[in-house]
Each structure stands twice: as structure tokens, then as C-alpha cells.
Amino acid sequence: MMTDKLARALGWTSLALGAAQLAAPRAVTRLCGVDDAPGATTVARLVGGRELLHAALLLGAKNPAQWAWTRVAGDTMDLGVLGRAAAGRTGARRTRALAALGAVAGLTALDAACARGGTAKTKGPLQVRASITINKPREDVYRFWRDLQNLPTFMVHLDSVRTINQRRSRWKAKGTIVDLEWEAEIIDERAGDLIAWRSVPGTGISTAGLVSFTDGPAGRGTVVDVSLEYGAPGRKLAAAAVARMFGEHPEQQVRDDLRRFKQVMETGEVVRSEGSPEGHRARRQLHQRPAQPIGGRA
């Protein structure tokens, strides 16, 4: 698709801009006419780091055009900074600031067109799928997951899951900018085989998921397959793209969660260095509240 090709070209542009701002921040600030501003080189390095994040998103995604909104958000900030710089300067610095402002405005138009194209071709919510094989019997793996209050032991973005009744639960998660809270309900369940759930409309975010449990090859271990859906197209997708600049990509997050789940099931804890907050957190939760059978809780 042309929009994806444009998105990848913009990703390479972000990579080049980010590398330049990190390697030669003084030259960049001079080129933009802001080299006389206090802390200009520090800001240039920060913007360079942001550009590298843009590059990672646009060059690493399967459908990169839908993540071009991250560059639009960055462009908006840059236009504001350069606009103030041009208004507050005279002579050669003003000329350079206006030239930089024009260049960023041109890139903003490309970014916005790419982002709109990526959003337009997205017909449904963001879908994520991942799987892992765990060296434990299927019944044990299913039982641990079905006790939903165990989920924060390996899903590090979750603060807590509190069961309300046999079907409904209350979830709290730490977002990159704001904390999130919503209710979810189980919509399908086959003991030992699968659990499907969705968020309750009007209680917070929009999400749905399914986890299945099957015997591994030659009957060894358990294959855990997770499918998730996040949000909806359009404005919600754009907001997710901006949020993704500051956090982990959903696909990577699910893969990491499953890797930690495997460690919890096989070793009883998440293996992390002493300085890792998520390792401490997982060990603390496991020690404080061991898993219980499905009959022990609603």
C-alpha cells in the first residue's frame, strides 16, 4: 500500500533526524535559529530521542501508516516551538527559524496525510495475537489464569484484578500518562480449554480477548494462545498511536506478558535482576497471595 510505503519513508526520515539531533545537537539548534536559547541542546537531544521512537514505530510495525499519528503529535509540538522562536528573533536567526518552520510544516502535511490514510483503511479495532508453550499440565495452566486475580503477577501493567462475581471483574491498570480502570465480563468459557472476555460497555476502555489452552506437541506441556482487541478505529486509534510513543507496543507487551507467565508457572517467579521493578513486583505478589483453585473464588 502507498500509505505504508510513505509511512516507512517517514520512519527513515525520523531515524535520520533523530540521529542528527543526538549526534550534533549544537549544529541542529544553530540551523533552526534557536542556538541562543538556554537549554537548546538538551531540548534537541530530547526531540532526537522522540524521533527515534517515531522511527521504531513506523519501521517496526506491520501496518505502519496507522502509527503516523505519533509524528503528527510531535510535529505539533515542534511547530509551536519554532513559531515562538521565529516571532522572538531578528536577522539571520529569524530567517533560519522561519525556514525550519516551513520545513516542519511540509513534513506535517505529509504526516497528516499518511495518518489519515492509515486510519481510513483500518476497518476494525487493533488486533494482537501471541502464543507460548509452558511446561505444565493444561489443567494447572488454565486454573492459574482462570483465577483472574493472579493476572497482575505476570501482566506488569495491571495493578489489580478484583472479581465481582463468577462472570464479572474489576480491572485497574497503570497507563503511561493516566491510570485506567474498567469492568470486564466473561462471555465464553470451556473449563480447561478457553476463556473469552470483553470490557463492559460504559465502564472504561474498550477491549476484548480470548485465551485458549491446548496440549503441546506429543502431549508435552500446554500451548497458550492469546488474541486481544483494543479500542476502535478513527480517533481512538489516533489516541492509541500517540500513547504508544511513551509506552510499549501492544504486541510486544502481550509477548512479554506470556514470557513472564511461563516463568511464573514453571519456576514460581519472574526472573529479573535485583534492580528490576517488575521482577520485585511479581515476586512480592506471588509470595503474598499464592494461586487458588477456581472453586476458591468467584
Side-chain angles (χ1 to χ4, degrees), residues 209-268:
L210 183 147
V211 56
S212 65
F213 309 87
T214 56
D215 292 330
R220 297 178 180 176
T222 303
V223 177
V224 180
D225 189 276
V226 177
S227 299
L228 297 176
E229 290 185 353
Y230 294 95
R235 293 181 180 178
K236 290 184 179 179
L237 183 59
V242 174
R244 186 181 166 198
M245 284 196 301
F246 306 98
E248 193 174 17
H249 186 283
E251 292 181 4
Q252 185 62 48
Q253 178 180 322
V254 174
R255 287 195 293 268
D256 289 345
D257 286 343
L258 286 180
R259 177 175 49 78
R260 286 185 289 265
F261 182 43
K262 176 181 175 70
Q263 292 176 351
V264 168
M265 291 303 303
E266 294 181 356
T267 70

Side-chain angles (χ1 to χ4, degrees), residues 140 143-153 264-265 268-269 281-294 296-297:
D140 293 348
R143 188 182 300 114
F144 188 91
W145 191 296
R146 180 55 179 85
D147 183 358
L148 301 179
Q149 295 179 119
N150 284 327
L151 298 183
T153 63
V264 168
M265 291 303 303
E269 65 178 21
R281 178 180 178 184
R283 284 191 288 269
R284 182 176 66 252
Q285 289 175 328
L286 282 172
H287 293 162
Q288 288 179 346
R289 189 182 56 77
Q292 297 184 7
I294 183 173
R297 282 197 184 94

Side-chain angles (χ1 to χ4, degrees), residues 13-286:
T13 300
S14 282
L15 183 62
L17 289 173
Q21 288 171 300
L22 290 175
R26 293 183 184 277
V28 172
T29 58
R30 186 167 55 254
L31 184 64
C32 295
V34 295
D35 51 312
D36 60 332
T41 56
T42 299
V43 173
R45 290 191 180 98
L46 290 174
V47 174
R50 190 198 70 204
E51 290 292 345
L52 293 183
L53 283 175
H54 295 324
L57 298 178
L58 293 169
L59 296 175
K62 293 180 180 178
N63 300 300
Q66 61 184 330
W67 303 116
W69 289 108
T70 61
R71 277 188 52 89
V72 174
D75 293 339
T76 302
M77 292 185 285
D78 294 343
L79 287 172
V81 171
L82 291 171
R84 289 192 297 271
R89 285 165 174 78
T90 59
R93 281 199 175 95
R94 178 181 173 85
T95 301
R96 292 197 297 270
L98 286 173
L101 183 64
V104 172
L107 283 174
T108 302
L110 286 175
D111 293 337
C114 183
R116 285 194 296 268
T119 299
K121 75 174 186 176
T122 303
K123 302 301 182 181
L126 174 65
Q127 297 181 336
V128 176
R129 184 171 181 176
S131 64
I132 200 166
T133 300
I134 297 174
N135 188 27
K136 285 289 183 179
R138 180 158 50 95
E139 292 75 13
D140 293 348
V141 178
Y142 165 82
R143 188 182 300 114
F144 188 91
W145 191 296
R146 180 55 179 85
D147 183 358
L148 301 179
Q149 295 179 119
N150 284 327
L151 298 183
T153 63
F154 59 90
M155 296 182 179
V156 298
H157 297 282
L158 282 179
D159 279 341
S160 65
V161 178
R162 179 176 60 85
T163 53
I164 299 172
N165 54 42
Q166 188 67 17
R167 290 286 176 178
R168 187 169 289 199
S169 52
R170 187 75 182 172
W171 298 52
K172 292 183 180 181
K174 185 169 293 296
T176 54
I177 301 176
V178 296
D179 292 346
L180 305 172
E181 188 170 349
W182 69 98
E183 288 188 11
E185 60 181 354
I186 293 176
I187 56 176
D188 190 13
E189 180 178 6
R190 301 171 198 169
D193 291 332
L194 68 84
I195 305 167
W197 69 93
R198 67 183 176 192
S199 57
V200 177
T203 64
I205 67 173
S206 175
T207 183
L210 183 147
V211 56
S212 65
F213 309 87
T214 56
D215 292 330
R220 297 178 180 176
T222 303
V223 177
V224 180
D225 189 276
V226 177
S227 299
L228 297 176
E229 290 185 353
Y230 294 95
R235 293 181 180 178
K236 290 184 179 179
L237 183 59
V242 174
R244 186 181 166 198
M245 284 196 301
F246 306 98
E248 193 174 17
H249 186 283
E251 292 181 4
Q252 185 62 48
Q253 178 180 322
V254 174
R255 287 195 293 268
D256 289 345
D257 286 343
L258 286 180
R259 177 175 49 78
R260 286 185 289 265
F261 182 43
K262 176 181 175 70
Q263 292 176 351
V264 168
M265 291 303 303
E266 294 181 356
T267 70
E269 65 178 21
V270 175
V271 179
R272 283 290 183 274
S273 65
E274 289 303 313
S276 169
E278 60 191 61
H280 284 304
R281 178 180 178 184
R283 284 191 288 269
R284 182 176 66 252
Q285 289 175 328
L286 282 172

